[in-house]
Amino acid sequence: MTRIVFLVGPTAVGKSALAQALAEEDGGAILSLDAMQVYQGLDIGTGKPTAAERARVPHGGLDLAPWWERFDTARYLAAAAAFLKQEAGRPLYVVGGTGLYFRALTQGLSPAPAAPPALRQELAALPPQTLRERLRRLDPDQPEGFDWNNPRRVQRALEVIEATGRSLRAWQAEQAPPLLPPGSYRAFFLQRERDDLRALIAARVEAMLAAGWAGEVETLLKERGGVALRACPALGYGSLASWIEAGSREQDLPAVGQKIVDETRQYARRQLTWFKREATLESLMIAPGERLRVTVPRLRAAA
């Protein structure tokens, strides 16, 4: 039976580096648990593994769709199932920060149908506040912890109730068995002290900009234009697209970078809130400055 270990947590906590080190040591494979790394072309800004890292360790869950397409959880689960079959027998590390993917893999997926394209386009054009107000009118009894600040979650809940007349909760009550049922995996929630994580997020954004993130965005702009890129849900791409279209003045880039840092910190808080609700997770706190040579044996001992 394949040994499966989840490494989840907020962005910049150190999940990917830890998984890479573990997989290289024991001949394992890595399945990405990141809803933005599924998109082709979104490489630097999503922290996607490098070509060298992928050459050393098989990776799944990457580059599954063009960046301008809508990609849903059902498609992710299908790709994950294929990767599990392909890499059967290897230790598997499932690594990322997308809570919905974690829940779908371990609890199953709701059979709620996709929304009609016209309805989806109508809702996508509305501002987040309007989406929230509309959902509260139609389905006010959302479960505790529902992420009202996540427009994609709110839109999906609206799509389901408007298209079917039933709430997303009702559909979720009928969801199929999970791909990875309880007992088939261990799951670790990686955490850091607040100030340490904030500093790491700032350093991560700075490193991405230094690695040529703006050039990557410029290439994407040539493919589909600014409207499409600003609609892209991956953090930072819309901000960099606007900066490039406004003239790419170097003196303005630090402000753009700080905006991305702030947005990423807000996203990390939402990730923390989500994962703190997952009962199957085992917490692993990483101390400030702790190096992989310390973290790897700690995790191996726990697992």
Side-chain angles (χ1 to χ4, degrees), residues 23-299:
E24 288 187 20
E25 279 192 9
D26 59 18
I30 295 175
L31 173 63
S32 171
L33 195 76
D34 189 309
M36 297 300 107
Q37 290 186 356
V38 302
Y39 292 114
Q40 301 155 6
L42 306 188
D43 299 332
I44 297 173
T46 65
K48 199 175 290 180
T50 65
E53 288 168 334
R54 293 196 229 183
R56 295 194 298 271
V57 173
H59 281 72
L62 304 175
D63 299 327
L64 302 177
W67 64 266
W68 58 86
E69 270 190 14
R70 185 182 177 94
F71 188 89
D72 60 27
T73 308
R75 290 174 67 185
Y76 172 78
L77 286 180
F83 188 72
L84 282 168
K85 183 177 180 180
Q86 172 187 311
E87 302 300 331
R90 288 180 183 267
L92 179 70
Y93 297 94
V94 189
V95 184
T98 300
L100 183 61
Y101 283 4
F102 174 78
R103 190 168 292 177
L105 282 171
T106 60
Q107 298 182 30
L109 183 65
S110 162
L119 174 61
R120 180 176 293 168
Q121 291 172 8
E122 175 196 344
L123 295 177
L126 298 176
Q129 182 60 33
T130 303
L131 291 174
R132 289 192 289 267
E133 292 171 355
R134 189 158 163 173
L135 181 58
R136 285 191 171 100
R137 286 197 304 271
L138 293 174
D139 188 18
D141 299 323
Q142 293 299 322
E144 183 180 356
F146 180 78
D147 191 355
W148 288 99
N149 292 320
N150 188 324
R152 299 183 80 191
R153 300 281 180 270
V154 175
Q155 181 179 330
R156 176 58 179 157
L158 261 177
E159 288 174 358
V160 170
I161 195 168
E162 293 202 13
T164 70
R166 301 178 67 204
S167 71
L168 184 58
R169 295 185 311 287
W171 284 101
Q172 288 170 338
E174 303 171 1
Q175 60 195 30
L179 186 61
L180 299 174
S184 66
Y185 62 87
R186 294 284 296 276
F188 294 91
F189 177 19
L190 275 58
Q191 300 180 68
R192 290 182 182 269
E193 294 177 3
R194 177 179 179 273
D195 289 345
D196 188 26
L197 184 61
R198 287 174 60 84
L200 286 169
I201 288 172
R204 174 186 169 95
V205 172
E206 183 179 356
M208 288 173 170
L209 291 170
W213 190 5
E216 177 176 283
V217 171
E218 193 164 10
T219 298
L220 301 177
L221 277 170
K222 293 174 182 176
E223 287 183 357
R224 304 289 289 195
V227 173
L229 198 50
R230 278 186 288 276
C232 173
L235 290 171
Y237 282 86
S239 297
L240 284 169
S242 296
W243 172 70
I244 291 169
E245 290 189 319
S248 308
R249 298 193 307 168
E250 286 298 322
Q251 60 265 38
D252 296 333
L253 186 56
V256 177
Q258 186 59 50
K259 180 183 177 184
I260 297 171
V261 168
D262 293 342
E263 290 172 348
T264 306
R265 287 170 175 167
Q266 292 169 12
Y267 176 60
R269 286 196 292 271
R270 295 198 297 271
Q271 290 175 302
L272 287 166
T273 298
W274 180 292
F275 287 120
K276 284 176 180 177
R277 298 196 302 263
E278 298 293 342
T280 61
L281 296 177
E282 305 172 51
S283 180
L284 182 70
M285 181 65 73
I286 303 175
E290 182 175 317
R291 297 186 181 277
L292 279 177
R293 65 173 179 265
V294 175
T295 310
V296 167
R298 283 182 63 211
L299 192 139

